[in-house]
């Protein structure tokens, strides 16, 4: 399970197949690569896999290693120009795609909360502050992420933490910091990935080009300016933290190309 994202930059492969079909092939390659590390899975052997399309949509289906391999190999036909593509985030074939794997780990979630709190308590206006203020003042209530946490009892783990982390906010009527937190990481994560529904094929959400600057500025502060402090050791081993760096790079590339970043 993962958050898949793609820089929505037009190329021959996207024009021929569509971004949604490419997403399916990329997911098949990820699944095939995972099976190669599992002993005893070869050729056309069938196995059951759980397909999760959100907190309320999951099912079990039968797949074969051979079918995953064939879908994965289809990508080779469409990757000749990837090396020189300006949307190549990862520097490899189909590099305009990336993913953040579940579960989102606890150290990263706590660090995101600390970053949002630090930004909220800085009175100077900035793109990063606009990101946090939009959560506080806008329609992002975190309900989708809250539902994702609640399905942990069904064996689906989207997050290591069972409850969100509270984020201190700012009183808009004065320069003082409110004692009671007004935002949680449920809202923060929803804003990062799931705030803007998309109609682009297999991608259900996007970060539209008008929102890219605030998303990028927020992550740039959290990843590059916020003092790691006592969290440095635990974040050094955080897969989620490393993957957020890739996501931040995708945001910056999409902003530079004036295109949306698709998210699923």
């Amino acid at each position: 399970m993962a958050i898949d994202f793609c820089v929505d930059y037009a190329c021959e492969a996207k024009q021929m197949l569509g971004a949604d079909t490419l997403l399916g092939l990329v997911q098949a390659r990820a699944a095939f690569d995972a099976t190669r590390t599992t002993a005893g899975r070869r050729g056309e052997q069938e196995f059951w896999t759980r397909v999760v399309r959100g907190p309320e949509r999951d099912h079990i289906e039968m797949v074969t290693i051979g079918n995953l391999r064939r879908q994965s190999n289809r990508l080779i036909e469409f990757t000749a120009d990837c090396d020189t593509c300006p949307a190549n985030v990862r520097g490899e074939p189909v590099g305009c795609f990336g993913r953040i794997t579940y579960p989102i780990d606890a150290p990263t979630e706590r660090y995101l909360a600390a970053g949002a709190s630090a930004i909220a308590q800085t009175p100077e206006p900035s793109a990063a502050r606009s990101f946090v203020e939009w959560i506080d003042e806008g329609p992002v209530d975190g309900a989708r992420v809250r539902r994702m946490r609640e399905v942990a009892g069904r064996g689906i783990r989207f997050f290591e933490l069972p409850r969100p982390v509270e984020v201190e906010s700012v009183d808009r009527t004065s320069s003082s910091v409110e004692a009671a937190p007004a935002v949680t990481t449920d809202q923060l994560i929803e804003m990062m990935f799931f705030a803007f529904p998309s109609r682009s094929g297999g991608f259900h959400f996007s970060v539209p080009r008008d929102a890219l600057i605030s998303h990028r500025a927020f992550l740039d502060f959290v990843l590059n300016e916020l003092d790691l402090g006592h969290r440095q050791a635990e974040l050094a081993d955080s897969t989620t933290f490393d993957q957020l760096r890739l996501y931040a790079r995708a945001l910056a590339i999409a902003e530079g190309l004036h295109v949306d970043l698709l998210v699923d």
Side-chain angles (χ1 to χ4, degrees):
M1 300 187 299
I3 299 170
D4 290 289
F5 55 88
C6 173
V7 178
D8 193 23
Y9 181 75
C11 66
E12 186 176 354
K14 290 193 181 82
Q15 291 170 351
M16 292 179 64
L17 297 177
D20 52 340
T21 299
L22 275 174
L23 172 62
L25 296 179
V26 169
Q27 290 172 333
R29 169 171 284 183
F32 175 64
D33 289 342
T35 64
R36 295 166 70 181
T37 63
T38 304
R41 289 184 171 173
R42 299 289 186 271
E44 299 298 322
Q45 179 179 339
E46 295 180 334
F47 65 97
W48 293 102
T49 185
R50 189 170 196 169
V51 179
V52 179
R53 299 295 299 177
E56 292 142 358
R57 293 179 298 161
D58 65 287
H59 64 277
I60 306 296
E61 67 179 33
M62 181 73 76
V63 298
T64 70
I65 303 298
N67 187 47
L68 289 176
R69 182 180 63 249
R70 285 188 288 274
Q71 291 184 69
S72 176
N73 288 342
R74 279 199 68 195
L75 286 172
I76 298 173
E77 304 173 34
F78 304 99
T79 57
D81 298 324
C82 289
D83 287 346
T84 57
C85 178
N88 195 330
V89 179
R90 294 183 292 113
E92 58 186 67
V94 206
C96 58
F97 285 79
R99 53 179 23 205
I100 299 171
T101 55
Y102 292 118
I104 304 298
D105 63 49
T108 296
E109 190 168 351
R110 294 190 184 103
Y111 195 64
L112 286 171
S117 178
I119 290 170
Q121 295 178 56
T122 303
E124 292 80 12
S126 67
R129 184 178 171 86
S130 296
F131 177 91
V132 178
E133 287 179 344
W134 203 89
I135 300 171
D136 201 20
E137 300 172 357
V140 180
D141 60 6
R144 177 181 175 84
V145 176
R146 190 159 54 250
R147 291 194 301 271
M148 293 169 73
R149 288 190 203 273
E150 291 169 354
V151 298
R154 291 161 40 198
I156 305 172
R157 273 183 90 217
F158 292 103
F159 302 94
E160 284 187 354
L161 294 176
R163 291 180 298 277
V165 182
E166 294 181 337
V167 180
E168 290 185 346
S169 189
V170 170
D171 185 348
R172 309 302 171 201
T173 62
S174 70
S175 60
S176 64
V177 177
E178 293 178 342
V183 173
T184 73
T185 48
D186 279 353
Q187 293 158 276
L188 189 63
I189 291 168
E190 186 169 297
M191 179 64 180
M192 289 173 64
F193 305 114
F194 311 126
F196 303 96
S198 171
R199 297 180 179 177
S200 182
F203 288 89
H204 292 81
F205 301 93
S206 70
V207 181
R209 60 198 72 179
D210 291 343
L212 287 167
I213 185 171
S214 62
H215 279 64
R216 179 193 52 75
F218 171 75
L219 277 180
D220 182 59
F221 175 83
V222 171
L223 296 172
N224 302 314
E225 298 181 39
L226 186 62
D227 184 7
L228 294 176
H230 66 278
R231 301 179 179 88
Q232 185 166 0
E234 59 182 5
L235 286 169
D237 298 324
S238 166
T239 299
T240 304
F241 197 69
D242 286 342
Q243 292 171 341
L244 279 179
R245 292 193 182 280
L246 184 69
Y247 184 70
R249 175 169 167 75
L251 290 167
I253 288 176
E255 183 185 357
L257 294 172
H258 308 290
V259 297
D260 297 347
L261 185 71
L262 305 178
V263 183
D264 186 57

